[in-house]
Amino acid sequence: MRHLLSTVGLARDEALGILDLAEDMAEVATRAVPKLPTLRGRTVANLFFEDSTRTRLSFEAAAKRLSADVITFSAKGSSVSKGESLKDTAQTIAAMGIDAVVLRHSASGAAEVLAGSGWIDAAVVNAGDGTHQHPTQGLLDAYTLRKTLHGDASRGRDLDGVRVAIVGDILHSRVARSNVWLLTTLGAEVTLVAPRTLLPTGVDAWPVRVGTDLDAAIAEAPDAVMMLRVQQERMHAAFFPHEREYANEWGLDDARLARLAADTIVMHPGPMNRGLEISARAADSPRSVILDQVTNGVSIRMAVLYLVLSGSDPREVAE
């Protein structure tokens, strides 16, 4: 794998290979010294043009567990504030000697531009671009679903027939887009639930069911409910009348939590707006796998960094 830019077009066998490799990486984390020498001598540059905590730290932890050197760039306080472009920033850091770039950017398509530009000769991993894609988030969500449903027997399993309701701000969510394509490739049945104002144009052509009634979606007893953050920083107009109305109609509150089937999984990519899209009780409930998503993110990113930087047989990695 040269780059990871999107879950669109990611083949089923390729996706399962990444998930299985992440299982090996998760086993490494249980060792007394949770590190592999696999990427010793390689350098990973984390270029974050958007604020991030968990994704940046997750990629840093993943690279360091593979013994790679890590350079982290944040746009705040950098030459970007003086007008430096993505091209100039990437080429400046590439001149220091890097093997892979992990890129987060507010512009949809920025990762594809960098990968296809010829500006640098390094692998590119998309860590979230605008409202477009966040492929490692989709992969870690699929991994978490598979692990929660199948436990130690999850290796090699797909998500055939698993029913997932993705709820909330679909319009601005790269997480939703990555999950729609990846989960359906793996056989899951995805339902999107949102106010009509937060559904993107063309959603009817996606391989999903679409609804606006969260209570109706809960009544169908999905295997998992994935709540999305309301991305107010991307909203330059009124998409719903009031936060209270949004919470009443589309929030996973305590009453809806009580109506979920006993084995329904609660997910959220974070960061959470508690009391808006999810209640504190739902976020902290035994059904919640939100912290598992964070843990599994490191394993998925170890697998992805390994694949883009080595391309060796995944089965050799954790031996």
Side-chain angles (χ1 to χ4, degrees):
M1 182 164 52
R2 172 62 173 151
H3 307 292
L4 179 65
L5 306 176
S6 170
T7 60
V8 177
L10 195 64
R12 177 183 176 281
D13 288 348
E14 192 174 15
L16 287 177
I18 297 171
L19 300 187
D20 288 349
L21 179 55
E23 299 255 4
D24 296 331
M25 298 301 182
E27 290 174 5
V28 171
T30 66
R31 299 178 182 178
V33 180
K35 293 192 74 165
L36 290 173
T38 311
L39 298 184
R40 184 176 295 157
R42 314 300 290 274
T43 300
V44 176
N46 292 327
L47 304 189
F48 277 67
F49 291 80
E50 265 192 341
D51 293 340
S52 169
T53 300
R54 71 195 64 217
T55 302
R56 178 174 55 80
L57 294 178
S58 184
F59 270 107
E60 285 185 8
K64 289 177 179 176
R65 286 185 187 175
L66 293 170
S67 301
D69 296 319
V70 180
I71 297 173
T72 296
F73 164 88
S74 176
K76 283 185 178 176
S78 75
S79 293
V80 171
S81 61
K82 302 174 183 175
E84 186 171 78
S85 66
L86 170 61
K87 175 183 177 180
D88 288 336
T89 300
Q91 287 186 326
T92 297
I93 291 177
M96 300 175 189
I98 59 170
D99 300 289
V101 170
V102 175
L103 178 66
R104 168 166 287 201
H105 203 284
S106 60
S108 299
E112 289 188 10
V113 169
L114 183 61
S117 63
W119 298 336
I120 60 172
D121 182 21
V124 177
V125 177
N126 184 0
D129 60 332
T131 61
H132 178 225
Q133 280 278 317
H134 194 351
T136 57
Q137 180 69 45
L139 285 161
L140 76 87
D141 290 339
Y143 180 96
T144 302
L145 271 172
R146 193 176 79 155
K147 200 69 180 174
T148 305
L149 292 169
H150 302 300
D152 292 339
S154 61
R155 192 184 298 268
R157 301 284 293 267
D158 59 20
L159 297 175
D160 192 29
V162 175
R163 294 170 301 144
V164 182
I166 301 177
V167 183
D169 185 0
I170 309 292
L171 178 64
H172 300 102
S173 178
R174 53 199 174 203
V175 174
R177 287 166 175 79
S178 292
N179 269 294
V180 162
W181 297 105
L182 179 63
L183 296 181
T184 54
T185 293
L186 293 173
E189 300 169 10
V190 177
T191 300
L192 302 180
V193 182
R196 293 190 186 282
T197 52
L198 289 175
L199 288 168
T201 302
V203 70
D204 292 340
W206 295 8
V208 298
R209 291 196 305 154
V210 179
T212 59
D213 189 337
L214 177 54
D215 292 311
I218 288 175
E220 294 181 353
D223 297 294
V225 175
M226 183 184 299
M227 306 306 296
L228 298 175
R229 185 172 67 88
V230 176
Q231 299 188 43
Q232 295 181 348
E233 75 277 14
R234 299 187 196 278
M235 295 183 181
H236 305 298
F239 287 86
F240 48 84
H242 194 276
E243 290 186 356
R244 189 182 304 113
E245 180 188 31
Y246 184 92
N248 287 340
E249 295 296 326
W250 294 283
L252 183 59
D253 57 16
D254 294 351
R256 291 192 174 104
L257 176 69
R259 292 203 300 276
L260 289 177
D263 55 354
T264 297
I265 301 164
V266 173
M267 307 179 75
H268 193 299
M272 294 180 283
N273 294 311
R274 292 176 182 247
L276 181 54
E277 69 259 4
I278 190 168
S279 70
R281 181 171 295 178
D284 300 331
S285 74
R287 303 163 193 243
S288 169
V289 295
I290 295 169
L291 290 179
D292 294 331
Q293 291 172 265
V294 177
T295 300
N296 296 335
V298 177
S299 302
I300 284 291
R301 285 156 182 147
M302 289 174 71
V304 169
L305 288 175
Y306 169 77
L307 288 170
V308 299
L309 283 173
S310 68
S312 300
D313 183 348
R315 298 276 74 79
E316 298 175 355
V317 175
E319 294 179 353

